[in-house]
Amino acid sequence: MPSAERIRALVSVHDVMPGTLPSVERILTLLESEGIAPVTLLVVPGAGWTPEDLERLRGLQTSGHELAGHGWIHRVERINGVFHRIHAGLISRNVAEHLALDWVGIHGLIKRCHAWFVDQALGHPALYCPPAWALGSIPRAALASLPFERYELLRGILSAQTGRLHPLPLIGYEADTAARAALIRGWNHINRRRAAGHGWLRIGIHPQDLDLRLADDLRRDLRSFNRFASYADVEANSRSSAQGPA
């Protein structure tokens, strides 16, 4: 069973928007001080980016951080149905955009998200993570017609072209109440144990996490791992394992 030193960790910073850039940059400074790279930044395109904001984002990209799509505006105006209401109460609150749309609307949102990066000369991001990891009602087969190569879900990383899901444990720290802190701490405990047997772990960081109730847990986890990978490495490793030794 792999120890923490042998686990490969994927580190992402969520909700990158103009209003969160100072907090995101603070987190990146911490990650750099711990020698953590690569880091994937989940960017919200429709959040009102100014030319100055875009220059800061390009600077982060130039410094080596990979950009990924993360919804469009990262909020919903209405709750759509019972499942969405339960999801909002337990996990997403008002950010799970996909759950408020039918699959045609989700398809259009994802396509618009990717086009924004191209229009802003930010390249062609390979990864898309729906807000709160909730992909919604879009059929997996429909993802192959969209420009993203892979999707991050609560359960793992989904390949758009093959439809294969690579299950990966996930831990996070966005706990602004005692109840959420207890729930997330229990979730993290389970997923650290899963990672010990799996060999992989995703660490999802939100902009305010260094000021919330699990900040010490976050700092401790960052010091516990010393092998870091990109999202593309997951599929590459899977292909290598399937082929076996030469």
Side-chain angles (χ1 to χ4, degrees), residues 12 20 27 38 43 58 63 65 77 82-83 93 96-97 107 136 179 184 195 208 222 230 245:
S12 61
T20 66
I27 290 169
V43 180
R58 291 189 188 98
S63 67
H65 302 302
E77 300 300 331
V82 175
F83 175 76
R93 293 183 173 166
E97 292 179 81
H107 189 280
I184 294 172
Q208 304 306 320
L222 294 178
S230 71

Side-chain angles (χ1 to χ4, degrees), residues 59-217:
L60 296 178
Q61 184 182 44
T62 300
S63 67
H65 302 302
E66 180 179 356
L67 305 185
H70 193 45
W72 183 251
I73 58 173
H74 204 262
R75 68 175 185 272
V76 299
E77 300 300 331
R78 63 185 180 88
I79 300 296
N80 183 24
V82 175
F83 175 76
H84 190 183
R85 186 170 302 280
I86 294 171
H87 195 278
L90 294 177
I91 301 173
S92 60
R93 293 183 173 166
N94 71 333
V95 307
E97 292 179 81
H98 287 215
L99 298 185
L101 301 170
D102 61 16
W103 83 264
V104 175
I106 295 169
H107 189 280
L109 185 154
I110 295 173
K111 188 174 182 179
R112 185 165 70 251
C113 177
H114 190 277
W116 179 85
F117 287 88
V118 178
D119 292 343
Q120 305 303 326
L122 292 168
H124 295 260
L127 176 72
Y128 180 84
C129 178
W133 298 281
L135 189 59
S137 61
I138 186 169
R140 289 188 179 182
L143 300 177
S145 67
L146 289 163
F148 288 100
E149 298 176 20
R150 60 191 64 91
Y151 293 79
E152 181 175 10
L153 310 180
L154 199 61
R155 291 176 56 204
I157 309 302
L158 178 68
S159 170
Q161 295 303 314
T162 67
R164 179 181 178 185
L165 180 70
H166 305 272
L168 291 182
L170 167 69
I171 60 177
Y173 311 91
E174 194 179 22
D176 57 354
T177 67
R180 286 174 73 91
L183 180 65
I184 294 172
R185 184 171 279 127
W187 168 275
N188 289 349
H189 176 72
I190 292 169
N191 281 283
R192 288 190 199 97
R193 291 180 63 87
R194 288 182 61 214
H198 194 288
W200 290 82
L201 177 68
R202 289 176 290 156
I203 300 175
I205 306 172
H206 287 79
Q208 304 306 320
D209 283 352
L210 291 177
D211 300 311
L212 297 180
R213 294 169 181 262
L214 298 182
D216 289 343
D217 297 50

